[in-house]
């Protein structure tokens, strides 16, 4: 009987000691989750919607993911212009959602150029749900520290409960410090040429001062024709290019055929290979990878 009473007492103690308040934030992609984990304490659970084995360019949500979107206390996503499958689910939510694309002064890269406003071009259209799409929009907005600073402020304003002490101010200061360090680290390689299958790194390379890469294809699912392949191989030789950044969805074998002498560094613009890192430490690993690739020698 004494053992039973002690067991019951332990259960009651655990229940009393457990968190009296908890919330769940669902982030559509891992880099957004990395930021949120930097801001909130342990009583706020941050869940990444996109799983590591899912193709972000052809996203199909499972019933469980649909429920996660529906039930999240806060949903943080890039926006309908990038994540069209999420748009109708978000529209049916009765709780708060924050879309990075909808924030004032967000930096958009369209057609290889940065746009700090909300202007649209001739390639804009809307789908049957009314969601705005731009065929030229670079969807990797999270690779801009400035964009993520805007997101940190927006999220903290709609859900201040559960923030760690001093947030988001402390994170914003750390972000400015990190940005300066990244620019100093990669500054010596500002004019060094590099190769990429397509260009998911525009926000990152622009803010740290790297050159635009020699780009194999505008789209992941469309490789170069034979004539384009020959021209690319010749350009690689002419420019004495020695670095290629290989993302998970890139056609690595084709890159190696184009530049067999290139140093290949695998990096993921979605951070799926670094689930334990928060946002700023993850950016440091990206910078280390670029430096390793761009520097001369083995």
């Amino acid at each position: 009987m004494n053992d039973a009473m002690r067991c019951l007492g332990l259960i009651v103690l655990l229940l009393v000691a457990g968190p009296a308040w908890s919330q769940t934030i669902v982030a559509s992609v891992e880099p957004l989750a990395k930021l949120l984990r930097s801001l909130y304490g342990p009583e706020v659970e941050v869940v990444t919607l996109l799983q590591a084995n899912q193709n972000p360019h052809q996203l199909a949500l499972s019933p469980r993911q649909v429920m996660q979107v529906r039930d999240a206390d806060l949903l943080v996503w890039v926006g309908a212009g990038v994540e069209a499958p999420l748009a109708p689910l978000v529209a049916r939510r009765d709780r708060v959602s924050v879309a990075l694309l909808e924030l004032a002064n967000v930096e958009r890269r369209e057609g290889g150029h940065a746009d700090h406003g909300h202007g649209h071009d001739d390639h804009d259209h809307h789908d049957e749900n009314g969601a705005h799409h731009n065929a030229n929009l670079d969807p990797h907005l999270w690779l801009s520290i400035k964009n993520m600073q805007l997101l940190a402020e927006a999220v903290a304003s709609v859900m201040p409960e559960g923030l760690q002490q001093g947030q988001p101010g402390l994170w914003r200061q750390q972000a400015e410090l990190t940005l300066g360090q990244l620019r100093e680290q990669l500054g010596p390689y500002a004019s060094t040429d590099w190769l990429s299958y397509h260009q998911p790194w525009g926000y990152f390379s622009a803010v740290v001062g790297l050159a635009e890469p020699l780009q194999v294809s505008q789209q992941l699912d469309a490789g170069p024709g034979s004539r384009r392949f020959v021209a690319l191989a010749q350009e690689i030789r002419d420019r004495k290019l020695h670095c290629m950044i290989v993302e998970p969805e890139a056609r690595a074998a084709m890159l190696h055929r184009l530049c067999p002498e290139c140093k290949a560094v695998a990096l993921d613009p979605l951070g799926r290979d670094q689930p334990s890192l928060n946002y700023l430490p993850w950016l440091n690993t990206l910078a280390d990878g670029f430096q390793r690739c761009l520097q001369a020698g083995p």
Side-chain angles (χ1 to χ4, degrees):
M1 186 60 125
N2 288 339
D3 288 344
M5 291 298 294
R6 280 197 295 269
C7 184
L8 179 60
L10 180 60
I11 293 173
V12 171
L13 181 62
L14 289 172
L15 290 174
V16 171
W21 177 90
S22 64
Q23 295 277 80
T24 298
I25 305 178
V26 170
S28 61
V29 291
E30 177 63 20
L32 305 186
K34 291 181 184 300
L35 168 65
L36 296 167
R37 295 186 192 109
S38 305
L39 301 177
Y40 286 92
E43 64 273 14
V44 175
E45 181 186 12
V46 178
V47 176
T48 303
L49 187 67
L50 179 70
Q51 298 303 297
N53 62 349
Q54 287 184 293
N55 186 340
H57 302 277
Q58 297 175 344
L59 180 59
L61 298 177
S62 69
R64 180 173 179 272
Q65 289 172 311
V66 171
M67 290 181 62
Q68 286 178 321
V69 172
R70 183 195 66 188
D71 297 339
D73 296 295
L74 173 64
L75 175 71
V76 182
W77 63 317
V78 182
V82 172
E83 298 165 324
L86 281 180
L89 301 177
V90 176
R92 292 197 294 269
R93 276 176 50 82
D94 58 2
R95 304 185 189 188
V96 179
S97 302
V98 175
L100 179 55
L101 268 172
E102 294 177 6
L103 302 182
N105 300 316
V106 70
E107 177 192 351
R108 301 161 175 249
R109 289 183 59 84
E110 300 183 3
H113 302 286
D115 173 16
H116 295 271
H118 290 272
H120 309 318
D121 62 19
D122 293 338
H123 298 277
D124 291 0
H125 67 277
H126 294 74
D127 65 14
E128 65 273 14
N129 299 303
H132 168 258
H133 298 270
N134 184 338
N136 284 339
L137 176 64
D138 180 345
H140 306 85
L141 285 84
W142 56 81
L143 286 172
S144 162
I145 292 184
K146 298 296 185 183
N147 283 347
M148 295 300 266
Q149 287 177 310
L150 294 173
L151 184 62
E153 296 289 342
V155 170
S157 69
V158 300
M159 186 175 157
E161 303 85 3
L163 287 169
Q164 298 181 53
Q165 186 174 4
Q167 298 298 2
L170 286 177
W171 189 87
R172 186 174 61 247
Q173 294 172 12
Q174 293 167 347
E176 289 294 339
L177 180 62
T178 298
L179 180 55
Q181 293 170 339
L182 295 182
R183 286 172 172 166
E184 182 177 356
Q185 178 182 358
L186 295 176
Y189 313 103
S191 59
T192 304
D193 291 327
W194 54 289
L195 179 69
S196 179
Y197 189 81
H198 86 310
Q199 169 55 326
W201 304 105
Y203 295 96
F204 180 80
S205 58
V207 79
V208 300
L210 294 178
E212 285 290 312
L214 176 60
Q215 190 173 335
V216 175
S217 176
Q218 296 293 325
Q219 297 178 332
L220 281 172
D221 56 356
S226 57
R227 192 171 292 180
R228 165 75 173 156
F229 185 94
V230 171
L232 280 169
Q234 184 61 53
E235 186 171 359
I236 288 169
R237 290 190 293 271
D238 292 343
R239 292 165 63 170
K240 297 181 172 57
L241 195 147
H242 68 270
C243 164
M244 61 183 176
I245 300 295
V246 185
E247 64 169 304
E249 283 78 30
R251 299 186 182 184
M254 179 177 290
L255 287 174
H256 284 285
R257 290 199 303 275
L258 271 171
C259 189
E261 303 301 320
C262 271
K263 188 188 308 181
V265 173
L267 295 175
D268 185 0
L270 275 159
R272 293 162 292 186
D273 56 338
Q274 302 283 355
S276 64
L277 293 183
N278 285 341
Y279 181 78
L280 296 176
W282 171 58
L283 285 192
N284 285 327
T285 68
L286 293 182
D288 290 344
F290 270 90
Q291 181 179 17
R292 195 163 63 250
C293 188
L294 292 166
Q295 65 189 3

